Amino acid sequence: MACSSTYLSSLIFTLILLLLPSHKQACFTSIFSFGDSLADTGNLLFYLNNNHRVSQLPYGQTYFHHPTGRFSDGRLVIDFIAEAIGLPLVPPYLPGGDSRNFEKGVNFAVAGATALNNDFFKSKGIHVNWYNNFNLDVQVELFKQLLPSICSTTSECEEKFSSALFLMGEIGGNDYNNPFFQGKSLEEITTFVPLVVNAISRAITEVIELGARTLLVPGNFPIGCNSAYLTLFHVSNNEIYDQETGCINWLNEFSQYHNQLLINELQSLSKLHPHVTIIYADYFEALMTIFRSPEKYGFQSFPLSACCGGGGLYNFNLSCYCGDLGSTVCMEPSNYVSWDGIHLTEAGYKHIATGLLQGKYTNPPLITQSCFPETIVDLHDFKQYSS
Ligand SMILES: *[C@@H]1O[C@H](CO)[C@@H](O)[C@H](O)[C@H]1NC(C)=O
């Protein structure tokens, strides 16, 4: 008999997922999200009047079958989380218009957003997307302005937010992408990291003061495995590459430096706010797991090249982006991690989200929060499954 305990545990886990919808009321009742293109579900595209490459197929081709403003072929981590806890996909804030219904949450994430504000980059001679006026402090400000339409008194807001899940990020990636792509030195960019982490910390503190009780805060991707970075920092000297994955070590070390400072900060914040659950989401490790053994997770054996792009070793080409005339799209996006060289495929995001929901890559685990009723999740069984 091939009935191993792993099989049994997966069966239990599947049962848990099947049972979930009937227990929605014990779960998070809303999702509020802040971040950049990894979480943008349509804000930038609306703001730019559809005047952006993601307004065209192949963006959106896999799941929605039309462009939605997501920088992917399908769903993002935020979409998978919303689905798993039985909430509607989180509506983007900007296209909300007058008929706003943000009862179950709202998404302020805007592609291109940075944690630090534009003045900082200006002062360093770094070009950011000037059309993008939705950096983290602005997103938090928009949230504050929206409060009267969500809840009318401080205590009503606190009550409402106590059962809400706050997604704070990913944010900060663009604070580094812009200077790295503009040739700023590693030494200079490294000095930005404590400031970026500080900006994220301030945003977290603000939403906690408004009543947030559960926050999920993702770290940065391993940028040394990113098709765009691999292309721009390509060298013929093999020594800079990780032998096992082909990723660029010094860039991944930079991501880990950011992540370590972020983790330290989240620990301090947790001590300051013991009644709040602040969960670190390890996007770095979630992706490294794929890059170390891609085939084990259903990805093609060379996972560093993009599904959609304008050619080159990693199918990323600065003069021919995904969607531009002359770019090509792979046959099977679900075999790829990288969608357009910078952002992930739905399959890539799904791997991260599934891991987060299973309690891998999160500390403390998201699944032990109010979302999953104790009657259904026997944590003992669950721990066996995820270990
Ligand atoms: C990048 O795109 C340009 C413009 O389409 C093209 O001329 C060039 O050959 C491409 N580079 C690679 C490596 O495919």
Side-chain angles (χ1 to χ4, degrees):
M1 274 287 289
C3 186
S4 68
S5 65
T6 316
Y7 171 75
L8 193 62
S9 306
S10 337
L11 191 65
I12 292 169
F13 183 69
T14 310
L15 285 174
I16 293 168
L17 290 180
L18 288 174
L19 286 168
L20 269 178
S22 54
H23 290 265
K24 267 183 233 167
Q25 68 280 9
C27 201
F28 295 111
T29 53
S30 53
I31 295 176
F32 296 92
S33 158
F34 306 85
D36 58 24
S37 57
L38 303 194
D40 186 347
T41 53
N43 282 315
L44 183 71
L45 193 58
F46 177 85
Y47 183 65
L48 295 181
N49 263 315
N50 278 335
N51 191 11
H52 192 280
R53 139 174 34 86
V54 306
S55 69
Q56 309 276 334
L57 288 171
Y59 283 89
Q61 71 167 31
T62 297
Y63 181 77
F64 300 99
H65 308 300
H66 61 89
T68 61
R70 286 170 178 77
F71 284 61
S72 180
D73 60 318
R75 288 163 291 181
L76 313 178
V77 171
I78 180 176
D79 298 315
F80 287 112
I81 289 179
E83 283 180 0
I85 61 185
L87 287 170
L89 298 187
V90 187
Y93 168 80
L94 292 176
D98 289 334
S99 56
R100 287 175 177 181
N101 182 0
F102 296 147
E103 187 59 29
K104 292 184 174 160
V106 53
N107 185 5
F108 297 97
V110 181
T114 50
L116 296 168
N117 62 35
N118 289 353
D119 290 341
F120 171 81
F121 297 104
K122 233 185 230 173
S123 76
K124 302 278 177 189
I126 295 161
H127 175 84
V128 293
N129 292 322
W130 298 118
Y131 59 70
N132 192 338
N133 296 313
F134 297 99
N135 297 328
L136 189 54
D137 52 346
V138 178
Q139 292 181 26
V140 172
E141 190 52 40
L142 291 172
F143 174 58
K144 284 184 177 166
Q145 286 171 15
L146 188 67
L147 287 187
S149 70
I150 300 180
C151 43
S152 35
T153 63
T154 308
S155 64
E156 199 193 312
C157 290
E158 285 175 356
E159 168 77 27
K160 174 150 183 69
F161 297 149
S162 67
S163 61
L165 176 62
F166 283 79
L167 305 178
M168 187 55 76
E170 177 278 328
I171 185 77
N174 292 317
D175 296 66
Y176 311 130
N177 293 343
N178 293 316
F180 270 124
F181 294 171
Q182 289 166 38
K184 296 289 171 186
S185 71
L186 172 65
E187 194 185 4
E188 181 179 7
I189 302 170
T190 302
T191 66
F192 301 172
V193 178
L195 308 174
V196 169
V197 169
N198 230 315
I200 299 172
S201 178
R202 277 200 309 275
I204 292 172
T205 303
E206 288 208 59
V207 296
I208 287 176
E209 280 164 4
L210 296 168
R213 290 295 171 268
T214 310
L215 294 103
L216 187 73
V217 189
N220 270 6
F221 281 168
I223 59 173
C225 310
N226 181 283
S227 318
Y229 277 90
L230 282 161
T231 304
L232 298 176
F233 293 95
H234 178 71
V235 292
S236 49
N237 174 6
N238 274 333
E239 277 169 30
I240 72 158
Y241 294 96
D242 176 30
Q243 299 247 314
E244 188 185 6
T245 59
C247 302
I248 296 176
N249 285 323
W250 67 270
L251 285 167
N252 277 356
E253 282 157 17
F254 177 85
S255 297
Q256 282 173 302
Y257 175 61
H258 166 90
N259 290 344
Q260 192 52 56
L261 291 200
L262 181 62
I263 291 168
N264 296 349
E265 185 61 25
L266 298 184
Q267 282 169 350
S268 314
L269 286 169
S270 296
K271 285 199 188 102
L272 276 174
H273 308 281
H275 56 299
V276 179
T277 306
I278 305 175
I279 304 165
Y280 174 68
D282 195 345
Y283 280 18
F284 186 97
E285 200 47 40
L287 284 181
M288 289 312 291
T289 305
I290 302 178
F291 294 133
R292 283 186 209 109
S293 4
E295 284 152 310
K296 184 173 163 192
Y297 298 97
F299 294 96
Q300 59 162 5
S301 58
F302 184 68
L304 300 179
S305 92
C307 165
C308 179
L313 198 50
Y314 303 96
N315 197 23
F316 179 83
N317 184 341
L318 272 180
S319 24
C320 182
Y321 283 98
C322 170
D324 288 349
L325 197 67
S327 67
T328 58
V329 192
C330 66
M331 290 299 289
E332 207 41 79
S334 66
N335 293 342
Y336 284 74
V337 183
S338 178
W339 165 244
D340 58 8
I342 297 172
H343 310 94
L344 305 191
T345 56
E346 166 168 298
Y349 287 127
K350 188 177 188 177
H351 174 87
I352 297 177
T354 308
L356 297 180
L357 290 159
Q358 290 175 352
K360 299 174 203 169
Y361 322 131
T362 51
N363 186 23
L366 177 63
I367 198 157
T368 62
Q369 307 307 310
S370 59
C371 195
F372 295 83
E374 276 166 275
T375 47
I376 298 179
V377 173
D378 180 329
L379 277 179
H380 180 71
D381 283 353
F382 188 77
K383 279 195 183 119
Q384 280 184 334
Y385 171 79
S386 49
S387 61

